[in-house]
Structures are given as structure tokens and as C-alpha cells.
Amino acid sequence: MICNPKDSTLRQVLEETATIAMVGASTNPVSPSLFVATYFSGRGRRVIPINPNRAGETLLGEPVLAGIRDIPPNAGIDMLDVFRSSDAVPGIVDEALAHLMPGLKCVWMQYGVRHEAAAEKARARGLIVVQDRCPKVEHMRLFGGPNLAGIGGVRISSKLPDDR
């Protein structure tokens, strides 16, 4: 069973995150990772793209890096957003714990991405872990505002009664 944080914690993470390292970032114009990166970049967040197949390209003004180990030590990563398959998560979390600590506050796994053992390892190091959710969707749900489809001021919700 996935144990995700309450809305108050998600709200705090999304408010306080200034820099996001995005593993699996894509330059493909129809890629969900590009939608998420564009959304947060447009809201003043720095998005550091990571994709070994696109290393050296530029995405939203940032060079695409080959791996987490290539992130400069002074980058100040707050959130690691994972757009990779669930079986890749343990290695990604291990690399993040080795190269982004201290400073990293949250490991966020996108829709369909979950790995409880890796999540527990990150939690044991004091990190907030979110699995099988999208930070863009959660940001829109919790804060409202326009989305990429141009619908302004819409607050979407998938809250369950006990999630309030």
C-alpha cells in the first residue's frame, strides 16, 4: 500500500520547492515530463533535466545532464521528480541519497511509478516521498490557477473525504 503525505505536506513541499531535478526529462514536445517541466519553470522554479539520451541538449534554458551525479553540488535540489519505470527507482534513490544530500527534501514519483522499498529508504533519511502522483496535477489541485490547456482559475480535485 502506498503511503503518501497529507495535503498539508504536499502544499508545503510545492510551496517551498525552488529547484527540481527531473529524472527522465524529455525534449519531445508531447512528453508529459516536458509539460511538467514547463509548468514549474513558468512558475519560477528551476528545473534541472536529467536524461542520458539527451545529455548536452538544452531544455528550458538548462543543459540536460546525463545523471544525478552530474548535478553541481551548489544546485540546491529540493525535489527529485522521477519519470522512469518503477524498477529504476532503487538506483535513482541510491544515487540521490549519495549525491544530493543534505539539501534534498522530497522524492516524487510520477503516475504509475512506485517502489515501496526505495521509498522507505528515502523516508529513513528524512525525505518526504510521494508515489504515483504528478506534482503539476497536485499543484493545480491544491493551488488552482491556469493550466497548459488555458483553463484559468479551475481547481480540480480528486480528494477523498478523509484526505481533507
Side-chain angles (χ1 to χ4, degrees), residues 131-163:
Q131 299 182 78
D132 199 21
R133 288 193 183 175
C134 175
K136 174 186 173 287
V137 170
E138 294 301 311
H139 190 276
M140 289 170 47
R141 179 176 70 84
L142 295 168
F143 299 102
N147 64 30
L148 290 177
I151 302 169
V154 174
R155 184 182 285 279
I156 61 172
S157 177
S158 60
K159 286 187 176 187
L160 300 173
D162 64 343
D163 197 24

Side-chain angles (χ1 to χ4, degrees), residues 9-150:
T9 302
L10 295 177
R11 186 176 281 112
Q12 181 179 359
V13 166
L14 292 168
E15 283 178 333
E16 294 177 0
T17 293
T19 306
I20 302 167
M22 185 174 289
V23 178
S26 177
T27 56
N28 182 333
V30 296
S31 168
S33 67
L34 184 56
F35 292 143
V36 173
T38 302
Y39 179 86
F40 282 108
S41 178
R43 280 153 185 77
R45 289 4 181 254
R46 181 179 182 201
V47 178
I48 298 177
I50 301 168
N51 184 329
N53 298 322
R54 300 284 183 225
E57 294 180 21
T58 300
L59 181 67
L60 301 172
E62 292 284 342
V64 179
L65 305 178
I68 291 170
R69 69 194 167 284
D70 299 318
I71 297 173
N74 62 348
I77 304 299
D78 299 303
M79 177 194 297
L80 182 70
D81 188 9
V82 181
F83 274 95
R84 293 284 314 277
S85 63
S86 296
D87 62 341
V89 170
I92 291 167
V93 167
D94 286 345
E95 194 172 358
L97 294 176
H99 295 283
L100 300 179
M101 298 290 289
L104 182 64
K105 297 171 187 75
C106 177
V107 173
W108 197 303
M109 299 175 224
Q110 285 290 336
Y111 287 134
V113 183
R114 52 181 104 50
H115 196 287
E116 194 53 44
E120 189 51 44
K121 190 176 209 178
R123 284 188 207 105
R125 293 284 299 272
L127 299 178
I128 295 167
V129 178
V130 182
Q131 299 182 78
D132 199 21
R133 288 193 183 175
C134 175
K136 174 186 173 287
V137 170
E138 294 301 311
H139 190 276
M140 289 170 47
R141 179 176 70 84
L142 295 168
F143 299 102
N147 64 30
L148 290 177

